[in-house]
């Protein structure tokens, strides 16, 4: 089975690396070709073009920024729809709107190409450890075919229903993530205003019923006032925007969405989403 991987950003690199480490042969392609270097050092082949990779792969993973990026890969003149052979199984692991997943699935099906939406919960740490939570929409048989590979990327890979079900679940879990991180930031600033220092407050949160691995995992970053992207704030702003487009009443998420959007406008998009704290500090 020939495996192709497209998208070598913060998430794509460690994920593709895990497939290589598991012994799978992999060919990769990224818009910015230099980013493939750590993977070629690990034994990956690089494709000369997106079209070549799409043509040669039996299973083709995409892990890129957003709806526009995924559509560009599929619909471009030398893209996946134009180049992949009939029966190719494509697995889009990017976080995009459920409408985009369903649209691309239907374009793929018209072309005789198979399509799974399989976005992940978990940032760079779980991507490196292979402990992501993978949410899959599409045909059950296609899911079962992809599952041995997905199991190398995540601790769980769940089939949730037809195309769009994976991306729907992803927007739901990130709605909770966005609200939680905004809530932690507000809590710390509230406590600070009342004279409780951040170190003490983080300790209290960690020991309390609302202490979670997420919050404990952000503590060092918060205390150092240093926010390298485990999950970039720009992606959280995107996910809450996509959630709001679903037309469901989510008052807290809408408020958090405005907050992340303003932080993005203030130039914090490339930092970790926890940098929402910097934004709220003003
Ligand atoms: P990053 O680190 O921002 O990486 C984004 C990747 O997407 C990177 O490989 C980009 O290529 C690629 N990209 C972006 N736009 C395009 C277009 N138009 N065409 C082709 N490739 C593109 O994101 P993460 O790895 O953190 O996240 C990936 C997804 O997981 C995202 O949906 C998150 O919400 C969750 P580049 O290297 O810039 O050439």
């Amino acid at each position: 089975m020939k495996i192709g991987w497209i998208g070598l950003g913060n998430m794509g690199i460690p994920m593709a690396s895990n497939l290589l480490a598991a012994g799978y042969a992999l060919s990769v392609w990224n818009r910015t070709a230099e980013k493939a270097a750590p993977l070629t050092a690990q034994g990956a082949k690089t494709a000369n073009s997106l079209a070549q990779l799409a043509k040669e792969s039996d299973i083709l993973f995409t892990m890129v920024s957003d709806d526009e990026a995924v559509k560009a890969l599929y619909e471009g003149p030398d893209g996946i729809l134009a180049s992949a052979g009939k029966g190719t199984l494509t697995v889009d692991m990017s976080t995009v709107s459920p409408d985009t997943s369903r649209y691309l699935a239907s374009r793929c099906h018209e072309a005789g190409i198979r399509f799974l939406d399989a976005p992940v919960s978990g940032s760079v740490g779980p991507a490196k450890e292979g402990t992501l939570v993978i949410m899959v929409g599409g045909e059950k048989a296609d899911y079962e075919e992809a599952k041995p590979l997905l199991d190398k990327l995540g601790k769980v890979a769940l089939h949730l229903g037809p195309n769009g079900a994976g991306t729907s679940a992803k927007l739901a879990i990130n709605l909770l993530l966005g609200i939680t991180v905004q809530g932690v930031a507000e809590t710390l600033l509230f406590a600070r205003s009342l004279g409780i220092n951040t170190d003490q407050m983080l300790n209290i949160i960690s020991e309390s019923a609302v202490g979670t691995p997420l919050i404990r995992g952000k503590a060092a970053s918060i205390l150092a006032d240093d926010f390298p992207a485990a999950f970039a704030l720009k992606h959280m702003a995107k996910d809450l925007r996509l959630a709001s487009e679903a037309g469901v009443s989510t008052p807290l998420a809408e408020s958090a969405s405005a907050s992340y959007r303003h932080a993005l406008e203030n130039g914090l998009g490339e930092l970790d989403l926890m940098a929402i704290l910097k934004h709220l500090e003003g």
Side-chain angles (χ1 to χ4, degrees):
M1 181 174 57
K2 291 193 174 157
I3 306 170
W5 189 283
I6 298 167
L8 300 173
N10 289 335
M11 295 296 286
I13 286 188
M15 292 169 75
S17 173
N18 280 340
L19 292 181
L20 288 165
Y24 289 103
L26 208 63
S27 294
V28 302
W29 182 86
N30 193 57
R31 182 179 61 174
T32 307
E34 305 85 79
K35 289 193 189 168
L39 295 173
T40 48
Q42 212 187 325
K45 287 186 188 154
T46 49
N48 291 329
S49 66
L50 169 60
Q52 184 204 351
L53 186 63
K55 197 172 172 187
E56 289 176 358
S57 299
D58 301 311
I59 180 163
L60 188 59
F61 291 88
T62 47
M63 185 54 161
V64 293
S65 313
D66 52 22
D67 298 58
E68 289 68 32
V70 179
K71 282 182 178 168
L73 291 174
Y74 275 81
E75 296 188 300
D78 296 315
I80 295 167
L81 282 164
S83 312
K86 284 196 190 307
T88 304
L89 176 54
T90 61
V91 184
D92 180 35
M93 304 194 78
S94 324
T95 300
V96 298
S97 79
D99 281 348
T100 293
S101 298
R102 286 187 284 265
Y103 166 75
L104 288 175
S106 93
R107 295 279 329 258
C108 281
H109 296 156
E110 281 162 20
I113 297 167
R114 297 179 287 151
F115 181 92
L116 293 172
D117 45 296
V120 306
S121 176
S123 58
V124 172
K128 285 183 179 160
E129 291 157 10
T131 56
L132 294 164
V133 175
I134 305 174
M135 296 151 279
V136 186
E139 291 291 331
K140 186 92 190 283
D142 295 338
Y143 157 78
E144 279 162 2
E145 195 173 317
K147 190 152 186 308
L149 293 162
L150 298 179
D151 285 343
K152 301 296 177 199
L153 304 175
K155 62 181 172 185
V156 61
L158 302 169
H159 182 246
L160 298 165
N163 286 124
T167 36
S168 294
K170 169 65 198 261
L171 293 190
I173 186 66
N174 270 21
L175 188 137
L176 181 58
L177 176 65
I179 290 170
T180 302
V181 170
Q182 170 81 18
V184 170
E186 287 187 23
T187 298
L188 294 176
L189 294 176
F190 176 81
R192 203 184 291 168
S193 300
L194 301 188
I196 310 298
N197 79 36
T198 297
D199 200 357
Q200 286 170 324
M201 198 61 224
L202 280 168
N203 194 21
I204 292 164
I205 296 171
S206 292
E207 295 298 332
S208 75
V210 292
T212 60
L214 168 76
I215 303 172
R216 285 189 280 275
K218 299 293 183 197
S221 202
I222 292 168
L223 292 172
D225 189 30
D226 183 24
F227 300 96
F231 178 55
L233 189 147
K234 65 181 176 184
H235 291 317
M236 179 46 77
K238 171 199 63 170
D239 294 353
L240 289 174
R241 173 179 56 77
L242 293 176
S244 73
E245 288 169 6
V248 180
S249 171
T250 53
L252 278 177
E254 279 162 35
S255 173
S257 180
S259 178
Y260 288 102
R261 191 175 66 246
H262 293 145
L264 186 62
E265 287 160 6
N266 283 345
L268 300 177
E270 299 300 330
L271 298 180
D272 190 67
L273 82 163
M274 196 64 242
I276 197 68
L277 180 63
K278 277 172 99 68
H279 170 66
L280 296 173
E281 277 170 339

